[in-house]
Every structure is written in structure tokens, then in C-alpha cells.
Amino acid sequence: MVRRDGTERPATGVEVTGLSDQHAWLRTAPDADLEVGDWVGMGLSHPCTSFDKWQLIPVAEADGTVVDYIRTFF
């Protein structure tokens, strides 16, 4: 999912090719509609990825507004 200006759309033409700690390496097709500043939503392959790195996990509304935090004890 890609979000720009409050509008969500599929991340067509965007592929994750590698991971480095909390960073993702992307490859984009020539026709991919992705710009600097776009929000790209992804899922997690394992929750420890988040719990190990983040002591506070934001709870967000559908529009991206953070409304609360959850403290992790991992």
C-alpha cells in the first residue's frame, strides 16, 4: 500500500529485494507510481522484528494519525 496526500493505492511495481536491520531495499518498475515522501505500508514477517527494535509502538488511525502508544517488554 502506498499513501500520498491521504489517498491509498496498491504498491504496484514496487518489490522488496533485501532487508538490512530495519531498512528495506526496493526495486521499482519504470511505471511504478512512487515518489519521495510517499508512505509505503508493509507487514511484518515476525513480531520480534518490532518488539526487539521499538520500546514504544504507535497506534495509528486509518489516516496515519498516532492516537496512542503501546509499551513493549521484550
Side-chain angles (χ1 to χ4, degrees), residues 24-66:
W25 299 92
L26 302 179
R27 177 176 292 132
T28 57
D31 61 341
D33 185 18
L34 189 64
E35 296 179 4
V36 173
D38 287 351
W39 287 42
V40 180
M42 299 181 183
L44 294 173
S45 61
H46 196 280
C48 291
T49 304
S50 290
F51 296 153
D52 185 36
K53 307 288 184 220
W54 300 88
Q55 293 180 0
L56 288 175
I57 298 176
V59 177
E61 296 287 340
D63 68 356
T65 303
V66 175

Side-chain angles (χ1 to χ4, degrees), residues 7-26:
T7 303
E8 292 182 7
R9 62 189 184 291
T12 306
V14 180
E15 176 187 7
V16 176
T17 60
L19 298 171
S20 300
D21 198 17
Q22 72 268 29
H23 298 81
W25 299 92
L26 302 179

